[in-house]
């Protein structure tokens, strides 16, 4: 399909060359959609070209507009308003575009190219607690970004790095040993991740009591924290784990298996998945060899206490420790090793890390140290940084009262969707398929509300606002899709022709029909821009604009009561195509749309 903006940009450059004997930079040519209240399809801004034309804006626009009409086959007419040249495309162009788009099974989606893949890492949970609200934004972003990259034709590998080792894991294990009385997910009726999280909280509670007692006995706070028996035992357990103690490893494997089973339930409910799962317990030592080799080659420095550092001061940063004085690794070391392993596994053209903006510095340093170590692929590291997500105070508190976990939030969303759907008469209690619809609406509301916000921005998630059936929400778009499906079922019942036969007239379309046609035309470009910017928000807000355009069309234009069979077929085809594109766009976001509502 023709990219009109690119075509008109090139046409304008050619016009300036022909008219004024000078070739402008493409950056001087601004092509944009014409505002709805103005006649035309695309607008070209003249002001940056005036120093070349040496004419006033209106004269320049008249010159270039006439040249385009004379030389560009798809341009029908032009209109000049001050320094803006508005181009109207021929009806035959729109007819050809729409007829071709209807035939495409996956309109807007680029077939997979034979190129190196893009690896996207997201989720990265700890096995000492359930997934929480922050993980929801992380998972939804990672999954949607992966879909959008794939829709642009790039093979995509979705990966998860599970943080399954370390002192925090040992805290849960130790607390379960001491206070668990053999409790299991089966005996307690709790999901495994919630059960383990319970003992992580229990450790913290008991540890604070020990610290307080030691302080009462005269220790200062730092010494008390170091000397508390529980912390000493947790560190001893970690040393045993690192030395492959069979008893500790057996307990670790059992408790982690409970957590993974719990995670799987949450991931499945959330609708996200992974192609490959890495485990920190299997990768945390890999970076040490890279660091020691870098030290041997003189790329890193060793201090008097034997610790190893990367000196980034000549790049405007500080020194970064990579190995402690006792030879143990830090998180940066682990990420160096995992990145190296991942590059060997997939030879990707880009490695996208979906991680909160509090880690901006970490990933900047990661790429720089990889480059310092001679990894030519260091520039493939890309940090998709996102802002924090918060809830209005007091809404949907977690069972622990501190962090809102993902399961609690999704349960609350389901209840809100059920209540609002029944109050609005969208569904009656007991209707067949009501439960599936409540799930679809609640998850659609959650996902859309989070994904419509630019990833870089901090956001406030309001559950009730997200399930509003009016406004920029998932349920509004889902309801629009259901309305389209209902319209098409009624058309079938009335034996209305949906397929166009070529006799349809595109020269006198209603403005509401033209708005839908133009919106559908934009979809491939929106997918490309969303991929270039790794921004699901572009897809989300496009889907909303398309749904709004359809609802205006539905109110303003007669469809089933139209006497002209060709007009009815065209309008039903517009509805059909709009439904296909809404379903496609929402699918990229990981959101399902209902056939009925």
């Amino acid at each position: 399909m023709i990219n009109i903006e690119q075509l008109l940009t090139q046409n304008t450059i050619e016009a300036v060359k022909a008219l004024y004997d000078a070739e402008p930079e493409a950056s001087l040519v601004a092509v944009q959609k014409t505002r709805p209240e103005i006649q035309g399809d695309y607008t070209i801004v003249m002001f940056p070209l005036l120093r070349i034309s040496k004419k006033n804006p209106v004269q320049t626009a008249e010159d270039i507009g006439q040249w385009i009409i004379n030389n560009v086959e798809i341009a029908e007419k032009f209109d000049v308003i001050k320094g803006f040249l508005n181009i109207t495309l021929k009806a035959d162009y729109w007819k050809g575009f729409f007829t071709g788009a209807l035939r495409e099974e996956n309109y807007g989606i680029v077939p997979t190219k034979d190129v190196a893949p893009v690896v996207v890492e997201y989720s990265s949970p700890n096995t000492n607690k359930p997934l929480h609200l922050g993980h929801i934004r992380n998972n939804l972003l990672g999954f949607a970004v992966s879909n959008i990259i794939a829709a642009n034709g790039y093979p995509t590998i979705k990966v998860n790095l599970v943080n399954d080792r370390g002192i925090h894991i040992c805290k849960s294990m130790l607390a379960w040993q001491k206070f668990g009385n053999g409790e299991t997910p089966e005996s307690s009726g709790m999901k495994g991740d919630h059960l383990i999280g319970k003992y992580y909280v229990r450790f913290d509670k008991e540890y604070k009591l020990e610290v307080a007692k030691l302080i009462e006995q005269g220790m200062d706070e730092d010494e008390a924290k170091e000397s508390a028996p529980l912390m000493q035992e947790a560190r001893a357990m970690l040393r045993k784990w690192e030395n492959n103690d069979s008893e500790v490893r057996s307990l670790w494997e059992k408790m982690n298996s409970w957590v993974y089973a719990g995670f799987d339930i949450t991931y499945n409910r959330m609708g996200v998945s992974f192609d490959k799962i890495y485990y920190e317990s299997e990768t945390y030592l890999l970076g040490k060899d890279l660091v020691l080799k870098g030290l041997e080659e003189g790329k890193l420095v060793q201090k008097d206490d034997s610790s190893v550092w990367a000196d980034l001061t000549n790049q405007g940063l500080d020194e970064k420790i990579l190995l402690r004085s006792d030879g143990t690794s830090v998180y940066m070391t682990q990420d160096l090793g995992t990145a190296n392993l991942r590059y060997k596994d997939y030879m990707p053209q880009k490695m996208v890390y979906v991680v909160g903006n509090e880690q901006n510095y970490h990933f900047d340093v990661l790429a720089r140290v990889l480059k310092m170590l001679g990894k030519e692929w260091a520039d493939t590291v890309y940090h998709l940084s996102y802002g924090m997500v918060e809830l209005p105070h007091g809404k949907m508190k977690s069972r622990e009262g501190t962090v809102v976990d993902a399961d609690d939030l999704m349960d609350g969303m389901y209840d809100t969707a059920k209540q609002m759907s029944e109050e609005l008469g969208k569904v009656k209690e007991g209707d067949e398929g009501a439960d599936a619809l409540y799930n679809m609406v609640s998850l659609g509301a959650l996902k859309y509300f989070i994904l419509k916000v630019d990833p870089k921005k901090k956001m406030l998630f309001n559950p009730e606002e997200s399930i509003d059936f009016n406004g920029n929400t998932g349920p509004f778009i889902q309801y629009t899709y259901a309305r389209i499906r209902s319209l098409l079922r009624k058309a079938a019942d009335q034996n209305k022709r949906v397929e166009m036969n070529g006799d349809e007239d595109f020269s006198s379309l209603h403005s509401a029909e033209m708005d839908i046609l133009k919106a559908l035309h934009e979809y491939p470009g929106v997918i490309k821009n969303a991929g270039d910017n790794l921004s699901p928000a572009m897809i989300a807000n496009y889907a909303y604009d398309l749904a709004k355009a359809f609802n205006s069309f539905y109110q303003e234009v007669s469809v089933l009561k139209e006497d002209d069979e060709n007009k009815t077929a065209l309008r039903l085809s517009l509805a059909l195509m709009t439904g296909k594109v809404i379903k496609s766009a929402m699918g990229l976001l990981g959101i399902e749309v209902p056939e009925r509502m």
Side-chain angles (χ1 to χ4, degrees):
M1 192 185 77
I2 300 171
N3 184 311
I4 301 296
E5 287 93 335
Q6 288 181 4
L7 177 67
L8 289 177
T9 297
Q10 189 55 44
N11 292 151
T12 303
I13 291 171
E14 291 171 11
V16 171
K17 283 167 62 178
L19 294 166
Y20 309 122
D21 196 28
E23 183 170 351
E25 295 285 333
S27 59
L28 292 177
V29 182
V31 179
Q32 56 204 31
K33 291 183 294 180
T34 302
R35 297 209 311 265
E37 68 273 17
I38 296 173
Q39 187 179 49
D41 297 323
Y42 291 90
T43 297
I44 306 168
V45 183
M46 292 292 107
F47 300 107
L49 303 173
L50 300 185
R51 60 186 179 85
I52 297 176
S53 70
K54 296 184 171 52
K55 293 184 176 182
N56 67 44
V58 172
Q59 291 172 326
T60 304
E62 292 280 354
D63 289 349
I64 294 174
Q66 194 58 57
W67 189 94
I68 287 175
I69 295 304
N70 292 341
N71 292 277
V72 180
E73 186 181 346
I74 65 171
E76 181 180 45
K77 60 183 180 181
F78 73 93
D79 182 47
V80 176
I81 300 179
K82 297 181 179 177
F84 301 93
L85 170 60
N86 304 307
I87 302 291
T88 298
L89 304 183
K90 289 180 179 176
D92 280 351
Y93 171 77
W94 291 112
K95 185 173 185 176
F97 147 69
F98 187 60
T99 303
L102 273 172
R103 286 197 294 262
E104 289 189 41
E105 186 176 350
N106 294 304
Y107 171 65
I109 307 296
V110 178
T112 304
K113 305 169 185 175
D114 185 17
V115 294
V118 177
V119 173
V120 183
E121 177 192 294
Y122 57 97
S123 198
S124 302
N126 295 322
T127 58
N128 63 320
K129 53 190 173 183
L131 302 175
H132 54 66
L133 179 59
H135 285 115
I136 287 183
R137 190 175 198 189
N138 182 296
N139 279 282
L140 299 184
L141 268 176
F143 188 71
V145 162
S146 300
N147 290 341
I148 291 165
I149 292 170
N152 279 282
Y154 298 102
T156 309
I157 312 293
K158 305 188 296 288
V159 304
N160 186 0
L161 174 62
V162 178
N163 301 296
D164 65 339
R165 60 162 292 279
I167 190 68
H168 52 296
I169 311 299
C170 291
K171 290 176 181 179
S172 294
M173 292 164 59
L174 184 62
W176 183 84
Q177 266 189 336
K178 285 182 168 295
F179 314 113
N181 296 315
E183 186 176 27
T184 67
E186 291 75 21
S187 70
S188 64
M190 293 179 72
K191 279 174 80 248
D193 50 337
H194 286 294
L195 181 65
I196 302 306
K198 168 184 165 182
Y199 285 101
Y200 184 67
V201 172
R202 180 66 183 273
F203 177 95
D204 188 59
K205 178 183 174 183
E206 300 291 341
Y207 170 60
K208 284 177 178 173
L209 290 173
E210 289 186 349
V211 170
K213 190 172 182 180
L214 291 172
I215 292 173
E216 280 179 18
Q217 294 170 0
M219 278 192 190
D220 65 42
E221 185 177 351
D222 289 342
E223 186 182 1
K225 286 180 177 179
E226 288 295 316
S227 304
L230 270 176
M231 185 59 75
Q232 294 289 336
E233 288 183 76
R235 287 189 175 133
M237 181 178 276
L238 179 58
R239 287 192 293 272
K240 285 183 178 181
W241 183 92
E242 290 178 347
N243 291 324
N244 281 311
D245 179 271
S246 59
E247 185 180 337
V248 170
R249 285 281 178 145
S250 177
L251 175 62
W252 172 75
E253 288 172 3
K254 177 170 70 174
M255 293 181 69
N256 271 352
S257 72
W258 295 345
V259 174
Y260 299 145
F263 283 173
D264 285 346
I265 292 169
T266 306
Y267 286 139
N268 288 336
R269 185 175 181 185
M270 208 183 295
V272 302
S273 59
F274 309 94
D275 301 306
K276 167 82 173 178
I277 297 180
Y278 291 89
Y279 297 93
E280 190 184 331
S281 58
E282 298 171 357
T283 63
Y284 80 106
L285 295 175
L286 296 178
K288 190 170 182 179
D289 291 339
L290 286 180
V291 171
L292 291 175
K293 185 179 179 187
L295 180 64
E296 185 182 313
E297 293 172 347
K299 296 170 180 174
L300 303 173
V301 295
Q302 189 165 39
K303 299 204 171 178
D304 292 341
D305 65 354
S306 297
S307 59
V308 180
W309 299 69
D311 184 358
L312 300 171
T313 52
N314 63 347
Q315 299 181 44
L317 300 177
D318 54 11
E319 294 179 315
K320 181 65 183 176
I321 188 169
L322 300 177
L323 288 177
R324 300 185 186 95
S325 56
D326 62 2
T328 56
S329 301
V330 296
Y331 274 117
M332 181 61 69
T333 323
Q334 296 168 29
D335 277 350
L336 291 169
T338 305
N340 196 51
L341 173 63
R342 201 168 288 169
Y343 190 79
K344 288 179 180 177
D345 284 347
Y346 298 110
M347 303 288 286
Q349 59 176 287
K350 183 178 279 191
M351 289 194 283
V352 178
Y353 292 81
V354 183
V355 182
N357 55 17
E358 71 276 6
Q359 294 294 326
N360 287 353
Y361 177 77
H362 177 88
F363 285 99
D364 183 19
V365 171
L366 176 64
R368 290 171 188 262
V369 174
L370 284 168
K371 185 166 283 191
M372 183 181 284
L373 293 175
K375 302 300 179 184
E376 294 179 358
W377 46 267
D379 289 338
T380 67
V381 170
Y382 179 85
H383 176 206
L384 177 54
S385 171
Y386 64 88
M388 296 289 290
V389 54
E390 298 172 353
L391 284 166
H393 179 69
K395 291 183 184 289
M396 294 188 186
K397 283 190 175 181
S398 77
R399 49 178 66 85
E400 291 158 21
T402 51
V403 177
V404 177
D405 71 63
D407 296 312
D408 284 351
L409 183 58
M410 288 189 284
D411 287 343
M413 291 295 294
Y414 177 93
D415 293 340
T416 304
K418 181 176 186 292
Q419 178 188 340
M420 294 185 72
S421 297
E422 290 173 1
E423 285 176 359
L424 293 169
K426 305 291 184 190
V427 185
K428 294 184 178 64
E429 190 168 3
D431 282 358
E432 186 180 349
D435 180 68
L437 183 61
Y438 299 145
N439 269 315
M440 196 181 294
V441 170
S442 62
L443 285 171
L446 172 65
K447 293 178 180 184
Y448 184 83
F449 203 88
I450 284 177
L451 292 173
K452 74 176 182 179
V453 178
D454 183 277
K456 294 179 179 62
K457 293 181 179 177
K458 185 171 79 170
M459 65 168 295
L460 182 71
F461 176 68
N462 187 318
E464 285 79 10
E465 188 181 326
S466 74
I467 297 184
D468 190 349
F469 283 87
N470 298 296
N472 190 0
T473 67
F476 170 74
I477 299 169
Q478 290 173 317
Y479 181 66
T480 301
Y481 179 80
R483 168 177 270 182
I484 290 170
R485 300 307 298 166
S486 175
L487 173 65
L488 294 171
R489 284 193 297 272
K490 287 177 185 174
D493 291 342
Q494 296 175 26
N495 294 316
K496 299 287 187 181
R497 174 169 62 85
V498 177
E499 300 80 14
M500 297 196 307
N501 60 13
D503 294 332
E504 293 77 17
D505 182 9
F506 279 69
S507 63
S508 56
L509 295 181
H510 188 284
S511 60
E513 293 175 290
M514 200 68 216
D515 288 344
I516 288 184
L517 201 55
K518 289 179 180 179
L520 294 171
H521 186 271
E522 292 169 25
Y523 186 48
V526 172
I527 291 177
K528 184 181 185 306
N529 287 339
D532 289 344
N533 292 279
L534 299 184
S535 176
M538 294 180 174
I539 301 286
N541 289 291
Y542 166 80
Y544 171 61
D545 288 340
L546 180 58
K548 269 200 311 183
F550 179 82
N551 281 286
S552 296
F553 159 83
Y554 191 77
Q555 296 297 325
E556 295 176 29
V557 179
S558 175
V559 181
L560 298 181
K561 293 182 180 178
E562 170 60 54
D563 294 330
D564 186 322
E565 186 180 300
N566 286 331
K567 285 186 177 180
T568 299
L570 172 55
R571 290 167 184 172
L572 287 171
S573 293
L574 281 169
L576 176 68
M577 191 65 192
T578 300
K580 284 171 64 174
V581 170
I582 285 176
K583 185 173 185 176
S584 171
M586 295 292 267
L588 292 177
L589 303 178
I591 299 173
E592 294 181 290
V593 287
E595 290 294 310
R596 288 177 167 79
M597 185 183 277

